[in-house]
Amino acid sequence: MKLRIVAAAIGVAIISSVASAQASMKISISVAQNSHQGVGIDTFAKEVEARTKGRIKVQPFYSGSLGGERESIEAVQLGTQELTLSSTGPVPNFVPEARILDIPFLFRDKAHARAVLDGPIGQEMLTKFEPKGFKALAWAENGVRHMTNSKRAVNAPEDLKGLKMRTMENPVHIAAYKGFGIVTTPMAFPEVFTALQQGTVDGQENPLSVIMAAKFEQVQKHLSLTGHVYSPAIILMNKAAFDKLSAEDKTHFLEAAKVAAKANRARVDEDDAKGVTELRAKGMQVIEVDKSKFVTALAPVNAEFEKQFGKANLDRIRAVK
Ligand code: EAX
């Protein structure tokens, strides 16, 4: 009798501890919290917690504290980390189909890119992550990339010849920047500031949001507004972790990711609006280049991309209004 009461009490204790247990998940970014990506993952964490009434907690990690983007994507694929928000930099190494989105001068502007990513082409692309062990929750945004360096004012594509620049670990970017005559050095983002500071590389390219968040103005004198490529970002989740969620929680995660992407894009717009003024005030020399010269200089490389990816596929993206 006594034993049975004890057993029942233990049973109650176990059940109540399960009911009140909070699932805790990790999400990471490679840039600082005070950034477009920080706004993205903070919003995501807040939304998931609110929508699940605190049953699921998402803990944000910033500044590459869990590793660079490639390492974080790997961790999400393995399931040692549930979530990450990453640029598409290292994504082609996991999902080769996504390479097409990293082609320079493919998107006219952010509005075009957003329409493509939120439309059928982008939504179809999200499904390509599933066989690789990911649930891609939503497209977010890194921004339009521009070039910086410590050596010289880059006014025209000729000025890029021989510059040693850090690139993302992205095969499309590397091929394209070689086409400009740049000496490319692929490197994970958390190493970039030191590499610029020590002169291991002369320059790098990133959206204004990243340049400001990383304080690159401290180690880079020249900024050229080349706008040479749009840089998407994506919110990735370990597929098994997503599949384990109830149908209701799946919806909460997908909705939270949409709200997060919206907040992230709004911050990119804010950064783009004030970035040049702010970086000039901090001592950078900012050059508004004639973009058409850069487009022309890259024509041979882009012709290669057309062959490689299929003109019809590129035209389908270009045709989106
Ligand atoms: O995601 O690696 C890069 O240059 C990325 O743009 C940066 O980490 C933000």
Side-chain angles (χ1 to χ4, degrees):
M1 189 67 186
K2 253 190 198 159
L3 253 182
R4 231 185 269 166
I5 292 169
V6 171
I10 290 173
V12 168
I14 289 172
I15 288 164
S16 64
S17 87
V18 168
S20 68
Q22 260 187 348
S24 177
M25 300 189 183
K26 294 189 182 102
I27 190 165
S28 67
I29 51 171
S30 70
V31 295
Q33 179 178 15
N34 183 12
S35 69
H36 58 322
Q37 296 188 10
V39 168
I41 65 171
D42 286 349
T43 304
F44 181 76
K46 210 179 76 200
E47 289 290 324
V48 167
E49 199 168 337
R51 286 162 194 265
T52 64
K53 312 235 169 354
R55 277 182 295 108
I56 304 178
K57 217 176 144 44
V58 176
Q59 204 187 345
F61 291 83
Y62 315 100
S63 304
S65 61
L66 296 184
E69 291 189 324
R70 185 174 44 75
E71 291 166 301
S72 296
I73 296 174
E74 246 160 40
V76 170
Q77 192 177 40
L78 289 169
T80 51
Q81 175 184 328
E82 291 82 4
L83 293 138
T84 193
L85 185 156
S86 175
S87 78
T88 50
V91 163
N93 302 313
F94 300 85
V95 182
E97 291 94 328
R99 277 178 322 167
I100 195 167
L101 300 173
D102 295 310
I103 296 176
F105 304 120
L106 175 62
F107 297 108
R108 292 183 298 276
D109 49 27
K110 284 183 288 186
H112 178 209
R114 292 170 185 179
V116 170
L117 296 172
D118 296 344
I121 297 172
Q123 297 309 298
E124 188 185 302
M125 188 75 80
L126 292 181
T127 65
K128 307 278 189 232
F129 288 75
E130 298 198 6
K132 305 296 159 88
F134 303 102
K135 176 69 190 178
L137 296 178
W139 289 109
E141 184 163 85
N142 198 25
V144 176
R145 302 178 82 93
H146 305 292
M147 297 189 185
T148 72
N149 84 94
S150 57
K151 280 270 149 77
R152 56 179 173 258
V154 170
N155 291 288
E158 303 83 79
D159 303 324
L160 291 170
K161 291 215 165 69
L163 269 185
K164 195 167 177 191
M165 286 189 38
R166 175 270 175 176
T167 72
M168 296 203 285
E169 299 161 279
N170 181 293
V172 174
H173 284 194
I174 294 169
Y177 304 160
K178 281 192 175 138
F180 280 128
I182 291 170
V183 180
T184 54
T185 308
M187 192 186 290
F189 187 77
E191 293 162 38
V192 178
F193 188 94
T194 309
L196 294 170
Q197 190 172 42
Q198 295 180 343
T200 319
V201 290
D202 304 320
Q204 62 86 45
E205 43 77 59
N206 250 304
L208 295 178
S209 296
V210 176
I211 295 170
M212 289 193 283
K215 302 193 183 347
F216 283 158
E217 75 277 358
Q218 295 178 358
V219 286
Q220 297 280 270
K221 178 79 189 156
H222 308 282
L223 164 61
S224 298
L225 300 174
T226 45
H228 53 280
V229 71
Y230 175 82
S231 185
I234 192 162
I235 306 177
L236 292 175
M237 181 164 184
N238 174 265
K239 177 135 190 334
F242 182 80
D243 288 344
K244 253 187 255 159
L245 297 174
S246 67
E248 194 192 355
D249 284 346
K250 282 185 179 128
T251 306
H252 291 325
F253 271 65
L254 289 165
E255 290 301 316
K258 270 193 206 138
V259 178
K262 200 165 172 216
N264 150 259
R265 285 172 175 174
R267 171 67 183 259
V268 173
D269 286 340
E270 259 174 53
D271 289 343
D272 280 344
K274 69 178 187 195
V276 168
T277 310
E278 215 160 90
L279 291 168
R280 272 193 177 129
K282 286 179 176 162
M284 276 193 121
Q285 195 203 47
V286 185
I287 302 169
E288 313 215 7
V289 300
D290 176 355
K291 204 168 144 179
S292 68
K293 288 186 181 159
F294 289 79
V295 176
T296 305
L298 220 55
V301 179
N302 268 322
E304 269 309 306
F305 286 148
E306 263 197 14
K307 270 195 223 150
Q308 200 181 327
F309 294 98
K311 188 173 183 302
N313 293 324
L314 297 184
D315 283 345
R316 191 175 162 223
I317 292 176
R318 291 178 185 129
V320 175
K321 292 279 174 296

